Every structure is written in structure tokens, then in C-alpha cells.
Amino acid sequence: MYLTQDEQKMLDGEQGEVAQRLFRLLVRLGEIYGAEKMIPVGSVQVAGVSYKSIGDPGLEFLEDFASKGAKVQVLTYLNPAGMDMENWKEIGFPEEFAKNQIRIMEAFRKMGIVVTATCTPYLAGNLPRFGEHIAWSESSAVSFSNSVIGARTNREGGPSALAAAICGVTPNYGLHLDENRKPDIVIDIDTALENNVDFGALGYHVGKQVKNKIPYFKGIKNANTDQLKALGAAMAASGAVALYHAEGLTPEARDYDVSGLEKINVGADELKATFDKLNTGETLDIAILGCPHASLREIVSLAEKIAGKSLKKPIWICTSRVMKEAANRMGFTETIENAGGRVVADTCMVVSPIEDMGFKITGVNSGKAANYLPGFCNQNVIFQSVDELVERCL
Ligand code: F3S
């Protein structure tokens, strides 16, 4: 693998022990995947932030790096943490868990990482441009940036993303290369997709079918960015789709002639079967929206639905700190909290310890959350639209 003089120096340890160890990891990755060189990255998003996911070994590893003076070279954001970093006590996150989560965030802060924890960094101040090389790790963020924005990233692991942040480069392979971004299979949609939950159901179904292929959607009449993020998140969770194209909706779709490709049809029957499969609960304990983290548009929509009402079951909407600040200033947080709901920042239903907070059946409108909640959080799931979930909580 070709290395520049500066990269060779990093490998020789001239930029310190941490950079040397992490650069070695990048070189090894590049060799495994046949990369010819490193490429500079415009930004990084690091996963493996919640204490629930990384535990004491991860915490010690990060504190060790921070104490040795490791610093990131590019704009670096974090994936959701295990709790709301400001309101954890009043929401009821366990004290011991909170102490460890705060230590993790402090280690990241010392490394120069922006300690705003979100799976939608593109809505919170880390927006790559079309064609830009980045190294992101959260699967829905990877899907959105590759597919909807047209930036270029592989699905990085936590360590390889941190390595890209500290070293400023990533090996040039996989989805960084034109030849690996071509669609493999056409998905022909012949049913109406009414709201975000339908896009989640579609994504869950297609991810199961195509696994790690690159699907090309035809027949999606219209979709806003919230719906495209729901679609990509679910496909990345039920399969391993890191890039999709959608005719008329995503920027690289127009580059391809897909007439000779294998085709799968998806209609109302497939979507109904998906809803039947994902619904495993009867009476919910809580509804949690915002997977991936809610946009301001989704927060406003919830506020309008529950304004002046009184919830019997709680509704949380998970989002980034940036979106929550905007919601606070506009009065949407107050409207939601007056009804008995919560705008929860920095975390989500999957990476926070909801199973230790007394919840057993969770309502969601996200195909990704419906996929993970049973295994990660021991939950039964009600998978419905926001309107239906609100109705159940009143
Ligand atoms: Fe984000 Fe958590 Fe969903 S990280 S995509 S809200 S599972």
C-alpha cells in the first residue's frame, strides 16, 4: 500500500503512540480490502459511545487514549450515548450508569471530539457534501450520507472511525470507489407509502431480501428526507445495506441504467406481512419516537398531535441536542412536556437501558427500532404510525 511521507512518519510513531497504533489498524484494514492508498476524510462519526454498549473495557480504552494526549484531526461527532446528558436524573436513568457515561463523554471531549451524540449528524452541524470522503460508523447515518447526500463512506466500526479521526485518513476501498456504488438489484414498489412507518416497514422487508446488496428503488412517488432516513435505517438494520438509490429521489440514481438487473416487486401484501411480523406486543408501556433521531419537522408534528392533551402513557421523542435546543426555543418541548411527553436528547431507545427502567412493551414507528428492541432491550414491540401510537397513549 502506498503511504505518503507524513503517513510513513505516523506509522513510525512520530505523532505519538496512539496515532501509531491507530494508523497501523488503518493500514491493516487497507491491506485486507486491497486499498492502494489512504484518502483524507472530511469528517468522522464515531459509534460505540453508550456505556451499555462498550462497558468498562471501552471506557478504560478511551480514557487511556485521552490521557496520552490523542487529538482528532477532523470534525468528529458521536453516535448516541446511553442517556440524556443533561436531564438524565429527572428522566430516571440509573446513577451508576450515568457516572460511567459522563466519564466516556469526558474522554471523547479531551480528544477534541464534538460531544454532541446523535445518529443524524447531518441535521446537527456535520453535513458532508456530495462526493466527499468521510468515515462514519452508525449504520443509518452511513446509509443517509451515502444514499441521500451522495457522500462516500464505508460502514466503519467504532475503532476504525476513531482511527480515521485521529489520523485524518481512511483506506481507499469499498464505497469510496465509483465501481462499488453501482446498484445490484431493482426494487419495484407498487403500493402507496403513506407515512414514515410505511418507509420503515419497506426498509425492513427489503433489507431482509437483499442483505448487503445495493438496491435501486423504482416507483416511490415521493419521499421527504425523514422518510428516506427511515427507509435507509431499517434496511441497514434488517440487512446490511450501506447505500441505496431511489429513482428521482437520490442524487446518483440518474447515473445508472438498471434495465438488465434482477428485480423484486414489493406491494401491499409484503408490507402487511412485515407489520404482522414486527408487532409482538399488545398494550404498550411507552412509545418512543425518533429512530433515527428526530428532525425538527418530526418534533413539530408530535407537538401538534398532542398539544393540549393529557397522555396516560409516556411518549418520548429522541433527538440531537441541536434539534432539542431549537424545539425549546420554539416552545415545542414545552407543548410536548405539558401533555406528559418528553424530548430526550443524546440517546435513544436502543442504546439506553430502558429494560432497567421498568418498560417491557415499547411502541415505535421505526423499522430499525422494531428490529433491535427485542434482542437489545428485551422488549415486545408495537410497530405503528405516530397517529396510532398517540391514540394508544391517550
Ligand atoms: Fe439512531 Fe438509536 Fe435508531 S442510534 S438509528 S435512534 S437505534
Side-chain angles (χ1 to χ4, degrees):
M1 188 174 181
Y2 169 78
L3 296 182
T4 64
Q5 279 186 352
D6 285 347
E7 288 165 355
Q8 189 58 53
K9 284 182 188 164
M10 200 156 21
L11 195 59
D12 295 340
E14 284 192 24
Q15 288 189 26
E17 177 200 330
V18 175
Q20 183 184 33
R21 270 171 68 184
L22 291 175
F23 193 67
R24 228 184 264 146
L25 168 74
L26 294 179
V27 170
R28 221 173 296 139
L29 261 181
E31 285 168 356
I32 290 169
Y33 290 104
E36 289 177 356
K37 60 174 186 174
M38 297 287 173
I39 37 169
V41 290
S43 74
V44 172
Q45 190 239 6
V46 174
V49 177
S50 170
Y51 179 67
K52 177 175 165 178
S53 321
I54 66 172
D56 290 327
L59 166 57
E60 283 157 21
F61 169 88
L62 292 170
E63 285 187 335
D64 179 47
F65 277 12
S67 72
K68 288 179 172 140
K71 291 269 184 259
V72 299
Q73 295 198 33
V74 293
L75 178 69
T76 302
Y77 270 42
L78 293 175
N79 211 32
M83 63 181 197
D84 188 309
M85 296 305 297
E86 287 182 12
N87 302 107
W88 59 268
K89 211 174 251 174
E90 54 180 285
I91 299 172
F93 287 98
E95 186 110 23
E96 194 52 36
F97 184 91
K99 259 195 235 155
N100 290 319
Q101 187 63 66
I102 291 166
R103 281 174 59 190
I104 290 171
M105 298 306 263
E106 183 52 19
F108 281 129
R109 195 190 60 75
K110 279 191 184 146
M111 288 188 253
I113 294 176
V114 183
V115 284
T116 198
T118 180
C119 50
T120 57
Y122 46 86
L123 295 178
N126 183 356
L127 178 66
R129 65 162 170 74
F130 180 85
E132 186 173 18
H133 296 284
I134 58 176
W136 286 16
S137 42
E138 198 280 322
S139 65
S140 77
V142 166
S143 167
F144 193 92
S145 56
N146 271 323
S147 314
V148 182
I149 299 171
R152 297 185 168 209
T153 179
N154 290 315
R155 187 171 166 172
E156 301 292 346
S160 65
L162 189 59
I166 301 279
C167 304
V169 294
T170 196
N172 192 26
Y173 72 94
L175 293 174
H176 292 287
L177 302 171
D178 289 345
E179 60 267 33
N180 297 325
R181 297 179 67 87
K182 293 179 192 151
D184 301 307
I185 185 164
V186 173
I187 314 293
D188 209 340
I189 309 299
D190 59 5
T191 184
L193 301 166
E194 308 268 337
N195 47 42
N196 296 12
V197 76
D198 295 333
F199 283 83
L202 173 64
Y204 180 90
H205 173 73
V206 172
K208 283 267 177 229
Q209 306 295 308
V210 307
K211 308 223 166 35
N212 63 355
K213 289 185 180 162
I214 299 175
Y216 183 105
F217 288 91
K218 279 173 166 267
I220 299 180
K221 304 257 178 310
N222 201 0
N224 63 31
T225 45
D226 293 331
Q227 292 163 337
L228 294 175
K229 86 174 155 67
L231 174 67
M235 275 192 292
S238 69
V241 176
L243 165 64
Y244 68 90
H245 304 289
E247 191 176 50
L249 296 170
T250 62
E252 290 170 65
R254 66 179 77 93
D255 297 345
Y256 301 107
D257 172 8
V258 293
S259 49
L261 293 182
E262 179 193 351
K263 189 166 94 174
I264 296 181
N265 294 312
V266 179
D269 290 349
E270 284 78 14
L271 288 200
K272 181 175 180 312
T274 304
F275 278 101
D276 290 347
K277 180 173 175 197
L278 290 176
N279 274 286
T280 55
E282 283 185 359
T283 311
L284 56 72
D285 298 321
I286 184 170
I288 312 185
L289 312 174
C291 171
H293 271 175
S295 65
L296 196 58
R297 178 169 42 203
E298 290 171 301
I299 297 172
V300 173
S301 163
L302 175 67
E304 286 172 353
K305 290 181 203 302
I306 64 175
K309 297 186 175 153
S310 180
L311 298 171
K312 294 198 179 66
K313 297 282 176 65
I315 300 181
W316 294 1
I317 184 160
C318 298
T319 191
S320 61
R321 181 66 53 192
V322 172
M323 287 298 113
K324 181 164 181 186
E325 276 301 319
N328 291 350
R329 289 189 183 189
M330 294 299 292
F332 301 126
T333 305
E334 196 180 356
T335 303
I336 290 170
E337 290 186 352
N338 284 345
R342 280 208 171 272
V343 180
V344 177
D346 313 314
T347 188
C348 81
M349 64 290 268
V350 172
V351 297
S352 64
I354 58 168
E355 65 279 23
D356 298 334
M357 298 166 79
F359 304 123
K360 291 190 168 56
I361 304 180
T362 299
V364 295
N365 71 331
S366 157
K368 172 169 178 174
N371 181 72
Y372 283 138
L373 281 172
F376 280 35
C377 304
N378 214 9
Q379 300 290 296
N380 283 330
V381 166
I382 294 174
F383 177 57
Q384 286 186 321
S385 69
V386 177
D387 282 330
E388 290 165 307
L389 293 173
V390 166
E391 197 57 39
R392 282 173 178 269
C393 292
L394 287 171

